[in-house]
């Protein structure tokens, strides 16, 4: 993201401006969580009634970052996409009002498409042994999954052998090996936009090696989440509108290894955490008395070559 072309302190400020491109590839492990809650009339509105967990284990990234520095100011833009593939599982859990997990299914998860666009800027404070750069950025991301070919265990009274409620892993619960009792598959979309502010601190360890730590927090995050249940007897879709304030975090660890004055290899480890947050839920376009929720956590590794032009 930021500071990708800091080859040496002398080079950074020896010119008024310069331009850098950073093509990269990456790998990511992540989980998107989609939750639903009991309504207010039940008296258990804080209790989750359903949780869907969409995992990428892993997904593969291709991206390009470009940046322009003018004196101590840096402006950047980054675009990336992911390669469509089977990437993990989608786990669907249902909970009773007392917290008992009575239904549980596991589906194969397929990444249909994903991309991210972000832009922002920073200002460098150059001290004798360290560089300090507060930054701001805006980010938009889109991801689409399809979950199919699942199997599940059902402990609700209509499925158990004794007609009573049981935990999903009880001997009374019924196992459906094809997962197609009422869940032939689920399609999922997530669109998230946020503003983030943070700081990066860089240390030049040797003439050929720079290392950097960063932390950011988003004052505002908006997520739109849609899923469509593809059951044979009852298709329906839900939409969640989530407004998240100061509950979206990012940690970064970067290394820059100088090859020449204008070229270096860069590695980035990035951790993202968006805490579970409630919002309004709609079913088939109509407001629902229940609330929905969304969260996201990921660990990403990127490597590429930085070129200063």
């Amino acid at each position: 993201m930021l500071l990708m072309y800091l080859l040496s302190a002398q080079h950074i400020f020896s010119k008024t401006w310069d331009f850098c491109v950073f093509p990269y590839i990456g790998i990511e492990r992540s989980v998107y969580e989609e939750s639903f809650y009991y309504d207010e009339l039940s008296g258990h509105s804080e209790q989750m009634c359903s949780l869907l967990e969409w995992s990428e284990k892993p997904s593969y990234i291709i991206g390009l970052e470009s940046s322009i520095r003018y004196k101590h100011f840096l402006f950047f833009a980054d675009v990336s996409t992911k390669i469509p593939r089977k990437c993990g599982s989608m786990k669907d859990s249902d909970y009773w009002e007392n917290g008992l997990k009575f239904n549980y299914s596991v589906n194969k998860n397929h990444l249909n498409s994903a991309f991210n666009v972000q832009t922002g800027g920073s200002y460098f404070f150059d001290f004798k042994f360290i560089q300090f750069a507060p930054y701001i950025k805006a980010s938009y991301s889109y991801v689409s999954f399809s979950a199919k070919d699942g199997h599940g265990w059902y402990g609700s009274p209509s499925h158990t052998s004794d007609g009573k409620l049981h935990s999903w892993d009880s001997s009374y619960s019924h196992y459906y090996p094809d997962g197609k009792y009422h869940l032939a598959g689920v399609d999922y979309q997530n669109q998230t936009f946020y503003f983030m502010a943070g700081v990066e601190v860089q240390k030049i360890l040797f003439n050929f090696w720079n290392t950097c730590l960063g932390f950011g927090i988003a004052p505002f995050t908006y997520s739109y989440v849609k899923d469509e249940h593809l059951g044979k007897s009852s298709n329906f879709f839900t939409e969640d509108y989530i407004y998240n304030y100061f509950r979206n975090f990012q940690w970064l660890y970067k290394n820059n290894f100088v090859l020449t004055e204008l070229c270096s290899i860069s590695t980035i480890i990035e951790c993202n955490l968006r805490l579970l947050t409630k919002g309004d839920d709609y079913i088939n376009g109509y407001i629902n008395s229940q609330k929905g929720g969304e969260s996201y956590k990921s660990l990403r590794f990127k490597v590429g070559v930085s070129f200063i032009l």
Side-chain angles (χ1 to χ4, degrees):
M1 187 186 65
L2 307 176
L3 309 182
M4 288 315 305
Y5 59 81
L6 304 189
L7 303 183
S8 68
Q10 292 78 16
H11 175 79
I12 296 169
F13 302 109
S14 63
K15 299 193 300 181
T16 302
W17 70 275
D18 50 31
F19 176 70
C20 176
V21 293
F22 175 57
Y24 60 84
I25 57 174
I27 185 171
E28 176 179 318
R29 293 177 66 92
S30 66
V31 177
Y32 291 82
E33 292 184 337
E34 179 188 9
S35 58
F36 300 93
Y37 298 83
Y38 285 97
D39 60 27
E40 294 286 347
L41 295 178
S42 71
H44 301 276
S45 59
E46 295 302 314
Q47 173 60 45
M48 189 182 299
C49 63
S50 180
L51 175 66
L52 287 77
E53 302 168 272
W54 305 80
S55 66
E56 296 180 277
K57 298 181 179 180
S59 58
Y60 299 103
I61 305 166
I62 301 173
L64 176 66
E65 178 186 323
S66 61
S67 51
I68 297 176
R69 182 193 61 82
Y70 177 73
K71 295 184 178 179
H72 287 249
F73 292 95
L74 177 71
F75 306 94
F76 79 94
D78 185 296
V79 179
S80 63
T81 186
K82 293 180 179 178
I83 299 173
R85 65 184 302 271
K86 293 181 180 179
C87 63
S89 63
M90 189 280 281
K91 300 176 182 179
D92 188 357
S93 304
D94 293 328
Y95 298 88
W96 202 247
E97 292 177 347
N98 61 3
L100 176 70
K101 181 175 174 177
F102 63 92
N103 289 342
Y104 178 59
S105 62
V106 181
N107 298 262
K108 295 178 181 178
N109 191 25
H110 189 279
L111 173 63
N112 299 322
S113 62
F115 67 89
N116 175 261
V117 178
Q118 54 183 327
T119 185
S122 68
Y123 184 86
F124 294 98
F125 294 92
D126 186 37
F127 300 101
K128 185 175 181 181
F129 297 108
I130 204 168
Q131 289 174 341
F132 176 81
Y135 68 84
I136 57 172
K137 70 173 182 176
S139 175
Y140 170 80
S141 63
Y142 170 87
V143 65
S144 170
F145 297 118
S146 291
K148 299 182 184 298
D149 301 324
H151 57 279
W153 298 261
Y154 294 86
S156 55
S158 58
H159 304 294
T160 55
S161 57
D162 64 352
K164 298 180 181 179
L165 179 71
H166 290 282
S167 172
W168 68 275
D169 56 356
S170 167
S171 59
Y172 294 99
S173 297
H174 189 81
Y175 173 64
Y176 292 90
D178 58 5
K180 295 181 180 179
Y181 162 66
H182 64 268
L183 185 61
V186 182
D187 290 339
Y188 175 87
Q189 295 180 25
N190 184 301
Q191 299 182 62
T192 296
F193 173 81
Y194 63 80
F195 292 105
M196 180 168 284
V199 63
E200 293 188 352
V201 179
Q202 176 177 273
K203 173 68 174 177
I204 300 175
L205 299 177
F206 304 100
N207 291 333
F208 63 91
W209 180 19
N210 306 331
T211 190
C212 173
L213 292 173
F215 172 75
I217 183 171
F220 170 77
T221 302
Y222 167 73
S223 294
Y224 167 77
V225 179
K226 179 180 179 180
D227 79 24
E228 183 175 3
H229 286 64
L230 307 174
K232 288 185 176 181
S233 59
S234 59
N235 284 18
F236 67 93
F237 67 89
T238 67
E239 297 171 289
D240 297 322
Y241 299 84
I242 312 294
Y243 296 89
N244 177 323
Y245 301 96
F246 295 98
R247 293 170 62 83
N248 183 1
F249 309 94
Q250 183 179 87
W251 294 266
L252 300 168
Y253 174 59
K254 308 178 185 180
N255 286 284
N256 215 35
F257 302 95
V258 178
L259 300 179
T260 70
E261 184 181 359
L262 302 178
C263 178
S264 64
I265 295 176
S266 302
T267 64
I268 305 171
I269 298 175
E270 180 179 304
C271 179
N272 292 272
L273 175 62
R274 199 158 64 232
L275 297 178
L276 184 62
T277 305
K278 290 183 181 180
D280 290 333
D281 177 66
Y282 289 73
I283 297 181
N284 294 332
Y286 296 95
I287 186 68
N288 187 8
S289 59
Q290 298 172 270
K291 294 292 186 179
E294 186 267 353
S295 72
Y296 169 70
K297 49 191 174 184
S298 71
L299 180 63
R300 180 181 303 153
F301 174 77
K302 300 189 294 189
V303 61
V305 181
S306 300
F307 300 96
I308 297 181
L309 306 177

